[in-house]
Amino acid sequence: MPKQWEERLRDVVEQVTLQETAREHMLEACAVKRKAAARKKAWMKLAASASLVCILLFFPWGIRQEENGTAVVYASTGEDEWSRLEIGEKKLLVQTDKLGMKYCIFKLELQENYLFEQEFTMIGEDFISIKNGKIYWRIGEEGNDEDEKGERPESRRASMRIRILDKEGKRVDTLELEMTKEGEVCYAELRRIQ
Amino acid sequence: MSQDDKTHKCVEEIFEEYGNMLYRIAFVMMKNQYDAEDAVQDTLIKYMEHRKGFEGEEHCKAWLIRVTVNVCKNKLRFYQNHPGISMEELSACYETREEAEVMERLMRLPRKYREVLTLYYVEGYQSKEIAALLKITESAVRKRLERGRRQLNESMGGVTDA
């Protein structure tokens, strides 16, 4: 008795078969899907290749630009000797004596069509002047008053911000030049302001 | 079995070999031709997108059945009131009225009984294998088989008596 219905069940279900038109439609749909997948794969490969090319072409340049910026600051580190100041690097400076005043000198080189404007952020008793693309940091008088000596800080510091502008006056970069005097020795450090 | 031994047939071969089996399972679950065809098509597309190979024929077949069942379940979840095939339509599909009635009685069973009965009695899978395919316990398969069998047997008895 149970075998009867089992067999009948198998018979009726096994008669369920796909019609030829449905088979064709399904295979067509698969072919379309496969083509679409192949196209997508090809596009993805193309996009990946294009991205790679862009990265190879522009990224190293971008890094160099980032490192160099649009301006290069040199510091006077010896007689007629200029050393390029790298971002984050502290450099020992040479002090130039002019009419009894001590100066540290920097040179600013800008890419073509770029301008700069400056802002003195810390100056204290020092004096910073800019002339013909050169930055003169005059280290302030320490004074001879014996009473002041105890109050005088062991290090002095001056800093300025250099804003680089493109030809349309749009700011493209900001650098901070910090000058410190520790004892008798002067240092400079260049930072990029985000 | 190493990775190299894994097989991945082309979709046409798979369709030729298992198309009808998948359609039967989908038809029993979906209770109508068009949704069953859709389910098989979705399964074939999933097969095409399946990157990993199969560890032999049985693995591939089991994978296809599992995907078909899941596709059907998803479709059934989507439809709140799923339209089933009518007795008139079934009658047109079968030579005898009795055959159409057997199918109709199978269709009247809850989906969970239909799927295990089909896999067990039509596709010849064992309870343990069905449990693995449907990701349910073997005892759940046995219970579903028993209840489905009882309900179907009772209704079949009605057919025989008629």
Side-chain angles (χ1 to χ4, degrees), chain A residues 146-160:
Chain A
E146 286 300 314
D147 295 340
E148 283 178 19
K149 275 188 179 171
E151 293 165 18
R152 207 178 298 143
E154 281 180 11
S155 67
R156 351 174 23 108
R157 186 169 294 171
S159 64
M160 67 178 286

Side-chain angles (χ1 to χ4, degrees), chain A residues 84-143:
Chain A
R84 182 177 165 163
L85 279 179
E86 302 289 351
I87 302 289
E89 184 193 12
K90 199 169 180 181
K91 200 149 250 173
L92 181 67
L93 303 171
V94 72
Q95 296 171 40
T96 310
D97 209 315
K98 269 189 185 175
L99 301 167
M101 302 277 190
K102 282 184 177 171
Y103 289 90
C104 286
I105 310 169
F106 303 90
K107 204 161 67 174
L108 183 66
E109 269 185 20
L110 288 172
Q111 282 187 12
E112 207 180 340
N113 293 328
Y114 284 90
L115 304 163
F116 79 97
E117 58 182 26
Q118 74 277 1
E119 182 195 347
F120 303 112
T121 49
M122 192 193 292
I123 198 150
E125 293 169 23
D126 299 348
F127 181 77
I128 299 173
S129 61
I130 299 164
K131 207 172 176 185
N132 300 330
K134 281 185 182 165
I135 301 161
Y136 297 88
W137 171 34
R138 196 183 78 198
I139 302 149
E141 293 287 326
E142 292 187 357

Side-chain angles (χ1 to χ4, degrees), chain A residues 1 5 12-13 16 19-20 24 31 48-49 52 75 104 107 127 133 137-138 151:
Chain A
M1 179 71 176
W5 71 255
V12 294
V13 177
V16 175
Q19 288 175 359
E20 201 48 46
E24 283 167 13
S49 311
L52 190 69
C104 286
K107 204 161 67 174
F127 181 77
W137 171 34
R138 196 183 78 198
E151 293 165 18

